[in-house]
Amino acid sequence: MQNDLVYWLLLSHLSRWTTLKTNELIVQIIHNQKITLADFFDLSCDEWIETYKLTDKEIGDLEAAKKELANYSFLMENMLNQGYELITLNSDDYPQVLKDNLKLKFAPPLIYTKGNKSLLHDDTIAIVGSRKAHDMSLKWTKNIAINATKKYQCVVSGGAKGVDQTALNESIQAHGHSILVLPQGILTASSLMKKYYKHIVDGDLLILSAFYPKAGWSVGLAMARNKYIYGLSKKIYVAESAKKGGTWSGVLEGLKNQREIYVRNPDNNEKNANNLLISKGGKAVDMDGFLIKTNIIPIQENKQMSMQL
Amino acid sequence: MNRQNAELKLKQIFGFDGFFDDQWTTIDKIFNNKRVLLIQKTGFGKSLTFQFPATQFDGLTIIFSPLIALMRDQIKFLNQNNIKAGLINSEQTDDENNITIQNAINNQLKILYIAPERQENSLWQEAVLKMKISFVVIDEAHCISSWGHDFRPAFRRIINLMQVLPSNIPVLATTATATTDVAQDIQNQISGDIELIRGDLLRENLKLDVIHTENEEDKMAWIARYLKKVNGNGVVYTGTRVSAEILSKWCENEKLNTIYYHAGLDSDSRKIVEKEWMVNKFKAIISTNALGMGIDKPDIRFIIHTQITQSPIHYYQEIGRAGRDGKTAEIFLLFNPKDIDLPLSFINNARPSQQKYQKVIDALKQEPLGERNLIKATNLTQAQIRAIKADLLDQKIIRQVLYNGLKKYEYQYNAPQLDITTFENLRNYRLKEFDKMVEYTNTDKCKMLYLCNYLGDNNSRSCGVCDSCLNEKNKFSMDENDKEKIKQFQNNFFPVLGVGSKKSKQHNNKKYQVKFIGAKFEGRIDNLKITKEIYQQLNHDDKKIVDGLIQKTKKESKLIDGIASSYYGFSNVGKTIYKCKYENGKDYPDFLLKQTLIAFGKTFKSQKFDLVLFVPPTESGKLVENFATKIANTLKLPIFSIIKTRETKQQKIFQNKALKTQNIKDVFDINIDITDESILLIDDIFDSGATITEIGKMLTKRGAKVIVPLVIAKTVGGDIAK
């Protein structure tokens, strides 16, 4: 099995391949042809063309990757030796919720973790919001996080400044479970490992990354990471959103995919887009996370009414 | 590639006419991308079985080896034959290692030697991803097995690597010493199909003998006699550092040119000794098994063991270094039935107590720590920490992780409980192995065959030249003459306290050293002593550096090397000191005073002293003061006390140098004027030297001209139990 793992590593980070393409190939190999990735890489070009219908360009990419095998072995040995785990799409450890939410199009074929990986099967929630969230939002975040721990739910967070950080810290402080989804490769996050060491050791915090292990932080990865936060969570709680930016687009995306999204009901004098999100389908909740009736009629209901007319 | 073509290429590249059959069998398998475990005796020509294939592969061949000296030799040989080879290890500078890495990445190297510990280095981990690797070699592969006699945790990581390396990359593991058990263990660990190729282990040019003696003095007498009459140079292995030093001094006393060697010497001294020995400057080098693998001298004509080894494998490996040139070499084991005590205690105390393991685990549960901080946090010795961490790593209770390039140990979530049954099993296994070694000393079976069979070679026949084959049973007892000489020696030999202030500097590949020896300074450039004449002729730069070092040394400390009257563990010295210090509180008895005065007289008769100072005690009352006063009275010198400005803990509770130094930093002072005075500094025990070094610095600041330490006993690592 470990021999196959290095091929997962190779396949998951081909620079010109989309997640969908990679996952489709993996499904073909493992489900349809029922062979290992190692066996697949041993096949001839002809078989690649005939059975898998690969293009010349794709074959070129795979051949180039094959040459890197030994090197990737060193990388993998290095990671396993340091206690990191590599969880493949077809593994029992791989969280079903991630598959359900992201599907083949976006579910990362290989995820890297450190710590208690059984947290991946917890009842998970994410608490998202602007980096520059106001005090009310942060207070709300704290409440949601603490309530979550009381319900034995696991808080998924990106650890970024603002709502993310608060959610994570409150969950940790309340001795709850948390998953920290990194905006970078797992080998580049030593300071976070050090900061949260005790919680990792105690089994309360899982560090997770879906990116190439040595990839440094970048804006692109930070953005990409948001969908993994959504993907890992069963419910999303939105503390505060502007009318643009990461939180805004994330929620819209989630609503489009019919995710269960709860939005903090703002006070009258607040200047943010929470109400707008509620009108688009987010469920309004109070300071303790309970659903409330609002004066806002969700847009979908409007449409239904007009159709009835 | 068929054999014919290969041998043509062999001739072209290396100049050899052909392969031995076993060599070709191995090489053939490698070309077919197989994994091979090759067990062959020294001198078989293992190197060629990986060097030749390396020249034929497209990419790089990586060779894991613990033998730094052998690496250097092999690389020299390869470069001479126009095969680009490089090495990465701790002896190279960072710059040198970086250049080698770059060359490897740019495909400008065919062969890269690397010490297994390098796997933990972040630079290596980055770089290896960019190299094109065709072939992996593990030299001294027995280091992989914890059942083997030389298990090294860093080799474990090679195993992890083997498990993830794609199976179409050929792997060659080689060793000369692996019993059937160990070979099986290696095969189990290097997963995938691994074939075993085993050659015979008979070393025809080694003449094995066991000499039965009754005591250590017998051995001393026998060795002196033997060294006087034997032709050629060789090695004497002792069980402890103290015995290596004492034995060497005894031989010098007998006008024999010997030198001692052990891990307690600083690395500069070790290098000097190794170099000089290689060019036959000494009749014999007398060493613990620190003189280990990798000293590749082809003409070792004899190897004498004064202490029985822990197993026949250790023995076979250590004697295997003799006669690599094929000419006859004599092998002796001097055995006295009481000798079994030492190895038995090693085996039974191989591991620290369970509580100590728990200390380490508890510390690492709080935060990730590197080795140094772990030592500080637990107050365990470096040796204990290393033994414990090796086991914890092995059981996957902790892991070594890089934090921004720094190595730290992490306790793992959900780590298993510490399993001590494996320790028990290992201990029993080792006891059985030791039994077999004791059996060797008495066996009538051919001695060489005994060792070969033990190591899994069942194909060899009797050697015909060992004491068993010749039907001899050798005993030796010293005569009255020997006895007298030895007694004389023991009454006149005194251990040196090597605390003399010295500074060194490396510049433009030259090594400069300066040492304060009292009236003047002694300097060396690249180990060549600088006499007055040489100094006059030095160029401007050299002079500047030497003068600079003299200033630094002068400024730092006027402490010179001192003397102890005896080793702590020698005779009843240690026991007597312990009783007085920790049990009955009585003054040190006269015999200790007498031998200290004798040691002093013989060593410092030409040195003038102005006063005596003694080291203030932490707890043991006026013992040192009374002792020092007696000495001062005998020498008719005034005596004063050194003052402590604050309380300290007893040095002996601190298990390592870092903590000992911390305990006494800036603690000492003096309330008299000592400008330009020559001082005799007295204490009872010399352990790490931290106290005396610290006092030396303080006295220098206060204007002392020279400071000479004098103690009753010098310990040699671990003498004073906790």
Side-chain angles (χ1 to χ4, degrees):
Chain A
M1 177 49 217
Q2 280 199 329
N3 246 314
D4 223 41
L5 207 47
V6 70
Y7 293 98
W8 281 86
L9 192 55
L10 262 180
L11 215 45
S12 304
H13 301 298
L14 292 173
S15 52
R16 285 183 290 239
W17 289 38
T18 60
T19 307
L20 180 60
K21 179 146 64 171
T22 306
N23 284 342
E24 283 180 335
L25 180 57
I26 289 173
V27 166
Q28 264 198 294
I29 298 170
I30 297 189
H31 270 280
N32 301 356
Q33 302 301 324
K34 297 204 196 332
I35 60 173
T36 64
L37 294 194
D39 292 334
F40 168 78
F41 270 88
D42 263 342
L43 298 175
S44 66
C45 283
D46 289 335
E47 288 175 285
W48 279 354
I49 296 175
E50 211 183 288
T51 317
Y52 296 88
K53 311 280 187 270
L54 294 178
T55 66
D56 281 344
K57 195 151 169 297
E58 288 165 349
I59 290 176
D61 290 338
L62 291 176
E63 302 260 80
K66 257 177 101 166
K67 296 209 172 111
E68 305 291 311
L69 265 180
N71 307 347
Y72 272 90
S73 302
F74 277 89
L75 174 61
M76 195 165 80
E77 185 280 328
N78 176 22
M79 297 188 66
L80 295 174
N81 193 63
Q82 295 191 73
Y84 295 101
E85 298 194 60
L86 282 68
I87 302 175
T88 61
L89 190 60
N90 65 341
S91 156
D92 287 337
D93 290 331
Y94 195 98
Q96 187 62 40
V97 64
L98 196 55
K99 284 196 233 189
D100 292 341
N101 284 332
L102 296 187
K103 313 228 189 325
L104 281 184
K105 191 158 184 221
F106 291 118
L110 184 59
I111 56 181
Y112 306 90
T113 65
K114 187 154 233 213
N116 179 6
K117 64 185 177 192
S118 72
L119 298 185
L120 291 170
H121 303 287
D122 271 8
D123 185 12
T124 47
I125 69 158
I127 311 173
V128 302
S130 314
R131 294 171 69 86
K132 299 198 187 117
H134 295 92
D135 282 344
M136 205 47 109
S137 301
L138 294 179
K139 192 152 173 254
W140 179 85
T141 301
K142 179 172 174 178
N143 291 348
I144 302 295
I146 292 176
N147 288 344
T149 62
K150 290 202 185 126
K151 289 186 272 182
Y152 296 104
Q153 286 172 331
C154 176
V155 173
V156 182
S157 163
K161 238 173 41 173
V163 173
D164 260 359
Q165 265 276 2
T166 305
L168 184 62
N169 289 341
E170 293 301 334
S171 171
I172 285 177
Q173 263 194 347
H175 296 295
H177 284 174
S178 320
I179 298 178
L180 173 53
V181 183
L182 298 177
Q184 58 204 94
I186 205 164
L187 289 177
T188 65
S190 323
S191 36
L192 283 172
M193 299 291 177
K194 190 145 190 252
K195 181 174 176 190
Y196 294 113
Y197 181 77
K198 272 225 85 193
H199 310 290
I200 300 172
V201 163
D202 288 342
D204 291 332
L205 173 63
L206 178 71
I207 309 280
L208 183 148
S209 167
F211 305 116
Y212 180 69
K214 288 180 168 282
W217 186 94
S218 72
V219 171
L221 293 189
M223 295 271 93
R225 169 273 301 267
N226 287 344
K227 67 170 165 305
Y228 298 128
I229 294 177
Y230 272 70
L232 282 165
S233 313
K234 298 200 170 114
K235 300 184 180 138
I236 316 289
Y237 287 80
V238 186
E240 181 180 318
S241 174
K243 207 176 160 192
K244 55 181 167 71
T247 311
W248 172 256
S249 44
V251 179
L252 287 187
E253 179 80 24
L255 289 170
K256 200 170 83 177
N257 293 329
Q258 283 154 354
R259 298 295 308 274
E260 223 178 307
I261 302 185
Y262 302 93
V263 182
R264 177 178 69 86
N265 197 42
D267 284 339
N268 288 332
N269 52 359
E270 285 186 37
K271 290 195 176 75
N272 53 49
N274 284 22
N275 279 330
L276 202 43
L277 288 177
I278 292 170
S279 73
K280 286 182 185 289
K283 303 191 168 90
V285 293
D286 63 14
M287 280 305 283
D288 290 308
F290 293 115
L291 284 170
I292 53 178
K293 283 255 173 261
T294 67
N295 299 325
I296 302 168
I297 302 169
I299 296 179
Q300 285 101 308
E301 283 185 22
N302 267 341
K303 277 206 180 121
Q304 277 182 332
M305 282 163 71
S306 48
M307 272 162 69
Q308 279 174 359
L309 288 173
Chain B
M1 189 184 310
N2 67 23
R3 184 165 180 171
Q4 244 187 336
N5 290 341
E7 285 179 334
L8 281 174
K9 293 210 161 110
L10 176 68
K11 180 83 191 202
Q12 253 179 342
I13 303 173
F14 291 90
F16 298 133
D17 288 324
F19 296 114
F20 297 127
D21 287 343
D22 269 355
Q23 279 177 326
W24 173 249
T25 313
T26 310
I27 291 172
D28 191 30
K29 291 201 191 293
I30 291 167
F31 282 141
N32 283 308
N33 295 339
K34 296 273 189 279
R35 298 183 171 195
V36 177
L37 172 59
L38 180 67
I39 303 181
Q40 289 284 0
K41 65 186 170 191
T42 315
F44 161 80
K46 287 193 292 283
S47 312
L48 207 57
T49 59
F50 51 82
Q51 288 169 352
F52 177 75
T55 63
Q56 303 301 307
F57 285 120
D58 263 347
L60 182 65
T61 293
I62 293 201
I63 302 176
F64 287 102
S65 173
L67 311 175
I68 296 179
L70 276 189
M71 274 195 230
R72 282 193 242 119
D73 291 338
Q74 290 193 6
I75 286 170
K76 220 163 97 180
F77 167 75
L78 290 166
N79 284 325
Q80 278 166 357
N81 284 308
N82 285 324
I83 301 160
K84 298 216 179 66
L87 86 161
I88 304 179
N89 63 33
S90 53
E91 296 213 338
Q92 312 293 101
T93 63
D94 282 345
D95 284 338
E96 287 167 331
N97 281 335
N98 288 341
I99 294 176
T100 306
I101 287 182
Q102 267 313 118
N103 288 339
I105 292 176
N106 296 336
N107 232 346
Q108 283 172 346
L109 283 185
K110 262 273 148 265
I111 295 180
L112 180 60
Y113 283 85
I114 167 170
E117 290 75 20
R118 281 284 127 175
Q119 286 172 108
E120 301 159 14
N121 177 289
S122 52
L123 226 64
W124 161 258
Q125 288 168 5
E126 292 288 337
V128 81
L129 295 181
K130 306 180 191 151
M131 298 177 194
K132 182 176 173 196
I133 301 166
S134 301
F135 178 30
V136 177
V137 178
I138 310 168
D139 203 5
E140 304 300 324
H142 57 269
C143 297
I144 287 172
S145 176
S146 50
W147 298 98
H149 63 292
D150 192 12
F151 169 61
R152 299 186 185 207
F155 270 74
R156 265 286 196 265
R157 292 201 53 178
I158 303 179
I159 288 304
N160 299 338
L161 182 63
M162 291 303 111
Q163 288 171 344
V164 306
L165 212 56
S167 46
N168 65 349
I169 304 243
V171 175
L172 174 65
T174 81
T175 176
T177 45
T179 56
T180 323
D181 287 341
V182 171
Q184 189 60 59
D185 190 23
I186 297 173
Q187 282 175 286
N188 291 341
Q189 291 198 56
I190 300 183
S191 63
D193 270 305
I194 178 158
E195 291 186 44
L196 175 59
I197 297 179
R198 197 191 250 291
D200 77 84
L201 297 171
L202 183 82
R203 293 286 308 279
E204 287 163 335
N205 61 329
L206 300 186
K207 207 174 161 314
L208 273 51
D209 263 302
V210 175
I211 312 281
H212 295 267
T213 59
E214 281 168 23
N215 50 48
E216 291 309 294
E217 287 79 13
D218 279 343
K219 295 179 190 173
M220 287 167 77
W222 186 94
I223 288 175
R225 289 190 194 195
Y226 179 78
L227 292 182
K228 281 176 190 163
K229 71 169 195 243
V230 73
N231 283 326
N233 320 78
V235 181
V236 179
Y237 279 115
T238 64
T240 65
R241 297 179 188 182
V242 171
S243 36
E245 288 193 28
I246 295 180
L247 193 54
S248 185
K249 295 290 177 196
W250 156 248
C251 290
E252 280 176 41
N253 197 52
E254 289 291 288
K255 309 276 187 292
L256 289 160
N257 186 11
T258 64
I259 187 77
Y260 67 88
Y261 182 97
H262 56 63
L265 298 177
D266 63 85
S267 76
D268 284 341
S269 304
R270 288 175 71 167
K271 285 206 189 118
I272 298 171
V273 172
E274 286 165 25
K275 253 197 190 146
E276 294 183 339
W277 181 61
M278 288 296 279
V279 296
N280 288 337
K281 186 161 182 237
F282 309 108
K283 183 76 183 169
I285 183 168
I286 304 183
S287 172
T288 59
N289 54 18
L291 183 71
M293 311 209 227
I295 307 293
D296 191 10
K297 194 167 183 295
D299 59 347
I300 298 177
R301 292 273 71 85
F302 58 85
I303 293 188
I304 302 167
H305 278 77
T306 64
Q307 171 64 46
I308 185 174
T309 57
Q310 286 184 38
S311 77
I313 313 178
H314 287 88
Y315 194 59
Y316 181 86
Q317 171 125 89
E318 285 171 25
I319 65 176
R321 293 161 200 157
R324 298 178 112 225
D325 57 5
K327 305 201 188 113
T328 302
E330 294 188 310
I331 309 293
F332 296 101
L333 171 57
L334 306 182
F335 183 66
N336 155 20
K338 277 202 80 221
D339 290 345
I340 64 172
D341 290 343
L342 193 61
L344 279 177
S345 93
F346 270 130
I347 293 171
N348 286 322
N349 299 323
R351 288 185 151 76
S353 67
Q354 209 175 336
Q355 298 161 309
K356 299 203 167 84
Y357 280 83
Q358 199 53 50
K359 257 192 176 175
V360 174
I361 290 175
D362 290 341
L364 292 179
K365 273 185 175 169
Q366 300 307 311
E367 56 176 318
L369 293 170
E371 186 180 272
R372 289 209 69 212
N373 286 329
L374 189 53
I375 290 174
K376 279 199 190 148
T378 54
N379 192 22
L380 295 174
T381 67
Q382 190 186 61
Q384 288 167 330
I385 290 287
R386 288 188 174 175
I388 291 173
K389 88 166 186 218
D391 286 334
L392 294 181
L393 282 169
D394 205 43
Q395 294 190 17
K396 303 212 185 347
I397 294 174
I398 67 175
R399 296 233 186 225
Q400 186 182 71
V401 183
L402 284 177
Y403 279 77
N404 285 327
L406 293 175
K407 286 182 246 178
K408 298 198 189 187
Y409 298 97
E410 282 186 354
Y411 180 78
Q412 294 302 287
Y413 163 70
N414 222 11
Q417 289 277 43
L418 181 65
D419 176 13
I420 52 170
T421 59
T422 45
F423 302 164
E424 264 312 293
N425 292 344
L426 197 57
R427 192 178 72 95
N428 291 332
Y429 186 80
R430 298 260 182 259
L431 288 173
K432 283 206 200 99
E433 288 189 310
F434 182 60
D435 275 342
K436 283 289 179 190
M437 188 62 213
V438 177
E439 203 183 282
Y440 169 89
T441 65
N442 263 319
T443 187
D444 292 327
K445 177 176 169 184
C446 165
K447 298 278 195 314
M448 179 57 81
L449 197 57
Y450 185 95
L451 295 176
C452 291
N453 289 161
Y454 186 83
L455 280 157
D457 164 21
N458 293 313
N459 290 327
S460 296
R461 335 116 305 229
S462 298
C463 71
V465 293
C466 69
D467 56 7
S468 297
C469 287
L470 297 177
N471 250 317
E472 296 167 355
K473 197 145 197 164
N474 295 316
K475 276 199 239 184
F476 178 84
S477 286
M478 61 180 164
D479 61 24
E480 282 309 312
N481 194 19
D482 295 322
K483 231 185 221 171
E484 196 44 54
K485 282 200 278 184
I486 290 175
K487 191 148 170 255
Q488 263 272 13
F489 165 73
Q490 285 172 339
N491 289 336
N492 289 303
F493 168 62
F494 311 110
V496 170
L497 311 177
V499 286
S501 181
K502 54 180 179 278
K503 285 261 174 249
S504 57
K505 180 181 176 124
Q506 180 122 345
H507 181 71
N508 280 344
N509 273 329
K510 266 201 239 176
K511 202 167 274 172
Y512 301 82
Q513 292 163 314
V514 164
K515 186 165 179 158
F516 179 57
I517 56 171
K520 11 178 198 277
F521 294 83
E522 185 183 278
R524 286 176 184 265
I525 298 181
D526 279 344
N527 300 319
L528 177 65
K529 192 157 154 194
I530 306 172
T531 60
K532 238 194 215 160
E533 294 79 29
I534 296 182
Y535 180 78
Q536 309 292 11
Q537 293 166 6
L538 287 178
N539 67 44
H540 175 73
D541 282 340
D542 282 343
K543 249 197 206 143
K544 202 164 145 216
I545 293 178
V546 171
D547 288 342
L549 287 178
I550 291 178
Q551 287 311 312
K552 275 199 183 149
T553 313
K554 224 190 238 182
K555 210 173 138 197
E556 179 184 72
S557 180
K558 294 286 185 65
L559 189 63
I560 65 170
D561 285 353
I563 203 91
S565 77
S566 166
Y567 284 106
Y568 188 90
F570 185 74
S571 183
N572 60 346
V573 170
K575 293 194 196 94
T576 309
I577 293 180
Y578 189 88
K579 260 214 180 97
C580 299
K581 223 170 145 90
Y582 303 112
E583 287 177 11
N584 59 30
K586 290 209 187 124
D587 274 349
Y588 291 124
D590 278 347
F591 83 91
L592 290 181
L593 176 66
K594 187 164 170 218
Q595 70 184 41
T596 308
L597 282 167
I598 293 176
F600 171 78
K602 296 215 166 169
T603 321
F604 296 110
K605 53 176 169 274
S606 53
Q607 172 79 43
K608 236 188 115 268
F609 289 97
D610 297 311
L611 58 107
V612 171
L613 294 177
F614 63 91
V615 177
T618 321
E619 282 187 22
S620 44
K622 297 189 113 207
L623 275 181
V624 178
E625 179 173 348
N626 292 346
F627 184 78
T629 307
K630 287 181 191 162
I631 293 191
N633 290 340
T634 312
L635 298 176
K636 303 212 183 2
L637 291 172
I639 175 167
F640 303 94
S641 167
I642 292 184
I643 316 175
K644 279 168 81 165
T645 58
R646 59 176 166 85
E647 267 198 37
T648 55
K649 303 206 178 84
Q650 284 190 308
Q651 280 289 68
K652 77 169 193 152
I653 70 168
F654 295 103
Q655 294 298 319
N656 54 69
K657 195 153 188 197
L659 287 175
K660 284 186 207 256
T661 311
Q662 206 174 297
N663 184 36
I664 50 158
K665 197 159 162 43
D666 294 330
V667 153
F668 302 106
D669 208 342
I670 186 115
N671 60 5
I672 56 169
D673 180 11
I674 52 167
T675 320
D676 248 3
E677 312 270 43
S678 299
I679 299 173
L680 180 61
L681 175 62
I682 297 183
D683 200 356
D684 49 5
I685 302 175
F686 177 95
D687 184 27
S688 71
T691 306
I692 288 194
T693 303
E694 187 65 23
I695 292 178
K697 286 197 183 137
M698 179 274 290
L699 294 175
T700 302
K701 270 204 207 121
R702 298 265 175 272
K705 184 165 157 194
V706 66
I707 305 137
V708 179
L710 173 67
V711 306
I712 305 177
K714 175 184 179 188
T715 69
V716 190
D719 277 347
I720 305 184
K722 205 168 172 35

